[in-house]
């Protein structure tokens, strides 16, 4: 089963929590949400390193689109890192 990374604005945490619950209930056991109290980034760790490490290990990125996430520099960075270059530019 594929692992999923949720990209969302912290302003949308309630919706992201519900979406994670729906995905887990649908059979996706590995759904990363950075602020998840059980499986998110633990306190005292290097937050950005943990975030991008989880992003690199994910098979799928789900972007929770909202006005807040569209304006979020962090969401933009997550999507940029997750998007491979076009095949014509890849070496």
């Amino acid at each position: 089963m594929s692992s999923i990374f949720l990209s969302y604005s912290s302003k949308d945490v309630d919706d992201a929590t519900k979406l994670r619950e729906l995905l887990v209930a649908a059979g996706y056991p590995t759904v990363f949400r950075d602020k998840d109290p059980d499986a998110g980034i633990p306190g005292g760790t290097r937050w950005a390193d943990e975030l991008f490490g989880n992003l690199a290990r994910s098979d799928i990125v789900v972007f929770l689109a909202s006005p807040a996430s569209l304006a979020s520099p962090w969401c933009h960075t997550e999507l940029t890192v997750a998007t491979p270059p076009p095949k014509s530019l890849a070496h």
Side-chain angles (χ1 to χ4, degrees):
M1 185 65 55
S2 300
S3 61
I4 299 174
F5 180 98
L6 290 182
S7 178
Y8 65 98
S9 167
S10 60
K11 294 178 181 176
D12 300 319
V13 69
D14 291 339
D15 290 332
T17 300
K18 290 175 190 171
L19 178 57
R20 182 184 184 283
E21 291 169 359
L22 288 170
L23 289 166
V24 170
Y28 294 94
T30 307
V31 181
F32 176 78
R33 187 177 68 80
D34 63 341
K35 293 183 173 72
D36 186 277
D38 298 319
I41 298 174
T45 61
R46 296 182 67 149
W47 188 82
D49 290 343
E50 289 288 325
L51 181 82
F52 291 117
N54 277 282
L55 182 57
R57 288 186 294 276
S58 295
D59 300 307
I60 300 167
V61 175
V62 174
F63 177 66
L64 184 56
S66 71
S69 64
L70 292 171
S72 167
W74 275 107
C75 289
H76 181 269
T77 300
E78 291 166 1
L79 292 178
T80 300
V81 169
T83 305
K87 291 185 186 252
S88 63
L89 298 177
H91 296 115

